[in-house]
Amino acid sequence: MIYGVSQFAYLVASACFIFALHWMNTPATARNGVYAGIAGTVLAVLATWADPTIIHHAWIVLAIVAGFAVGVPLSRVPLTAVPQRTALSHAFGGLAAGLVGTAEYYLQITEAPAHLTTFRMVALIAEVILGYLTFAGSLMAAGKLQEVKWVPQRPVTYPLQNASNLLLFGLALALSAAITLHPTASWAPLVFPVIVLLALAFGVLLIIPIGGADMPTVIAILNSYAGLSAVAMGFVLDNKLLITAGALDGSSGLILAIIMCKAMNRSFTNVLFGAFGQVQQAKAGGEQQTYKSETAEGAAQVLEQASFVVIIPGYGMAVAQAQHKVRELYDLLKKRGVTVKFAIHPVAGRMPGHMNVLLAEADIPYTDLLEMDDINHDMPQADVALVVGANDVVNPAARTDKTSPIYGMPIIDADKARTVFAIKRSKSPGFAGIDNQLYFSERTWMLFGDAKAVVGELVKELTGGSGMH
Ligand code: NAP
């Protein structure tokens, strides 16, 4: 009876996870997606806990308390730190899978060796390798993104790197094959920790040649590894919910990584082995180019005269938390009859959907948020392109400069607007570490300063101009 109820609960939980992913598709239903995900997880935990064979309930309570102790502080990180936060979640997911696999192996060799069939051993070893690999790799990725001192930010490359990594992986596979065929041999319990160590080492080695700029994509790939590890765990524990949830996790991570690679015009191999993000050599001997600066007052006058303004937000808007000021500017311009649209690049900011989340927080109507492909053909008609802390995603070098590391990445055609105002604090480059010709263009005027402060000044100018308070 309990078995039937718990299987039914698993089915409902699986449905919750599928709805959760579906609802995440648009900002309008995303909140429901979060609730469905939470409901599915709570149901899954309770259904598992109801298993009458569980006798040590204290351990489960302890695990739940530990989960809250780690999860609650993690949920409080600022939005700009969400990529590394996500990496940490994957690290914990991977560690959990690895530990469950390890416990299962050592438990079964003493208690029920017959249980360790070849099929179950294949699943168990896959779970352990993917779990520990995800754990070590995700920790490295989080460290790189958080710019932790002892984790090198730049890609670390050395001769025969891929060959030596492959050799290591081959060794792990050979040992895995041996232990799969002879799980209860006297040497097997000693070989198992070696496989764990190799998986941990492989996780670190896989991440160090990748630059910080590619970390968010790598995190999505690690997400799919964690999902696959959960699928394998589902087979080991004979738990259908783990198989479904792991498959959903694994495939959504993979799809996300593919979307991100496409948006940056990169291939998987290029992300994983391209050592992108190495600091570019400054171009020697080039003539000194100059920026033109504009005051908030001057910019406000141009904005007032415009009939079509496109706002292009980027990472700087997130850093400055300027979204609410941007909303005020949007309201003021709309009130004056100006058409205002937001151009959203798929990899603006530091995570997919970063700009959508911020602008939704400021209650900007979704109908005025346009994806890159939908806005680009209107850019030549725009009177003003207002770039708010975006850099790489509006860099024309992606279209024209074959030597640029971002060559081929689709960009928002800010340079095609009649006038460009670009808000940033200094002359430093964006994430890819390269100069941006847009800022030197004849049509571009820089509004140097913190995005929140500058947009605030624009708002003040426009408010003053209309006689409002
Ligand atoms: P970006 O190229 O990193 O440029 C952001 C700009 O914002 C910087 O040039 C910075 O200049 C400025 N800024 C920072 N803080 C600011 C503040 N408080 N006020 C005003 N300006 C500020 O950002 P992006 O154009 O959004 O491009 C995103 C980059 O991240 C791309 O290279 C993309 O490939 C990469 N990436 C994104 C994702 C994703 O999922 N979104 C994933 C992987 C990689 P100053 O320092 O001079 O102010």
Side-chain angles (χ1 to χ4, degrees):
M1 171 68 185
I2 288 185
Y3 178 80
V5 173
S6 73
Q7 291 302 304
F8 181 69
Y10 282 170
L11 192 68
V12 177
S14 301
C16 285
F17 294 146
I18 292 169
F19 276 112
L21 285 178
H22 177 65
W23 282 330
M24 296 279 183
N25 267 328
T26 68
T29 53
R31 240 172 246 275
N32 291 345
V34 174
Y35 296 138
I38 295 172
T41 309
V42 170
L43 202 60
V45 170
L46 292 180
T48 309
W49 201 351
D51 184 338
T53 59
I54 295 176
I55 35 173
H56 301 297
H57 291 275
W59 285 107
I60 295 187
V61 175
L62 194 72
I64 292 175
V65 170
F68 271 91
V70 174
V72 172
L74 269 186
S75 70
R76 308 227 153 150
V77 303
L79 210 53
T80 42
V82 165
Q84 48 269 49
R85 190 214 71 90
T86 311
L88 278 183
S89 305
H90 295 162
F92 285 119
L95 181 64
L99 288 177
V100 168
T102 310
E104 188 70 9
Y105 173 69
Y106 285 102
L107 197 73
Q108 301 295 356
I109 44 172
T110 49
E111 291 196 352
H115 201 64
L116 295 175
T117 58
T118 306
F119 174 76
R120 203 166 263 125
M121 275 309 289
V122 168
L124 196 145
I125 291 293
E127 173 193 345
V128 165
I129 290 185
L130 285 167
Y132 286 113
L133 182 156
T134 306
F135 170 63
S138 301
L139 276 188
M140 285 295 294
K144 278 200 180 208
L145 283 170
Q146 188 63 28
E147 299 183 1
V148 174
K149 242 192 255 150
W150 46 269
V151 180
Q153 306 300 306
R154 291 187 196 179
V156 176
T157 50
Y158 46 87
L160 297 178
Q161 189 165 24
N162 288 340
S164 56
N165 284 356
L166 271 180
L167 198 73
L168 202 74
F169 192 60
L171 183 64
L173 278 188
L175 292 177
S176 303
I179 203 169
T180 300
L181 295 174
H182 308 284
T184 51
S186 58
W187 45 263
L190 299 174
V191 164
F192 195 89
V194 180
I195 296 176
V196 171
L197 283 178
L198 286 173
L200 288 170
F202 197 63
V204 173
L205 294 174
L206 205 65
I207 300 303
I208 55 168
I210 303 172
D214 276 331
M215 267 321 121
T217 320
V218 171
I219 288 171
I221 297 173
L222 287 169
N223 181 359
S224 61
Y225 291 167
L228 286 179
S229 165
V231 171
M233 180 157 64
F235 281 114
V236 173
L237 300 178
D238 209 3
N239 184 313
K240 294 184 190 69
L241 180 67
L242 270 176
I243 298 175
T244 321
L248 287 171
D249 189 19
S251 49
S252 55
L254 190 68
I255 293 169
L256 187 59
I258 292 172
I259 293 174
M260 288 163 88
C261 282
K262 267 200 183 150
M264 295 190 282
N265 194 31
R266 314 271 310 282
S267 67
F268 253 37
T269 25
N270 188 248
V271 167
L272 291 175
F273 308 110
F276 182 77
Q278 253 161 343
V279 172
Q280 288 266 301
Q281 296 289 324
K283 274 185 193 147
E287 80 270 33
Q288 194 65 35
Q289 292 177 299
T290 47
Y291 299 96
K292 295 190 294 310
S293 292
E294 180 54 284
T295 59
E297 192 187 350
Q301 278 167 9
V302 177
L303 284 168
E304 235 169 358
Q305 304 301 322
S307 53
F308 180 27
V309 172
V310 177
I311 301 179
I312 306 161
Y315 179 61
M317 184 181 82
V319 176
Q321 286 292 298
Q323 63 275 22
H324 297 287
K325 282 283 164 218
V326 169
R327 163 83 212 220
E328 287 179 40
L329 180 68
Y330 164 87
D331 285 341
L332 282 168
L333 290 174
K334 286 282 257 194
K335 233 181 244 169
R336 281 156 202 262
V338 181
T339 307
V340 187
K341 298 286 176 199
F342 288 82
I344 310 293
H345 192 284
V347 291
R350 290 293 178 269
M351 58 181 176
H354 201 167
M355 297 300 118
N356 300 70
V357 172
L358 291 174
L359 296 172
E361 195 187 303
D363 279 331
I364 289 168
Y366 308 129
T367 44
D368 282 338
L369 311 190
L370 294 179
E371 301 287 333
M372 175 174 61
D373 295 337
D374 297 327
I375 191 84
N376 264 348
H377 51 263
D378 289 336
M379 286 313 293
Q381 276 81 52
D383 298 305
V384 178
L386 179 63
V387 180
V388 185
N391 194 341
D392 295 344
V393 300
V394 288
N395 191 341
R399 280 198 313 255
T400 53
D401 181 1
K402 285 199 173 142
T403 61
S404 170
I406 60 165
Y407 180 70
M409 168 172 140
I411 57 156
I412 292 177
D413 298 335
D415 56 330
K416 296 195 176 156
R418 286 191 195 107
T419 304
V420 180
F421 289 122
I423 304 175
K424 71 200 291 294
R425 295 163 307 178
S426 66
K427 296 174 179 174
S428 19
F431 202 43
I434 47 172
D435 275 343
N436 191 339
Q437 276 302 319
L438 175 71
Y439 302 145
F440 305 110
S441 145
E442 262 188 17
R443 305 174 181 195
T444 305
W445 276 266
M446 304 300 295
L447 298 170
F448 284 116
D450 174 76
K452 190 173 175 181
V454 174
V455 179
E457 282 170 41
L458 290 174
V459 166
K460 220 194 260 165
E461 290 295 335
L462 287 171
T463 316
S466 71
M468 289 187 279
H469 299 285

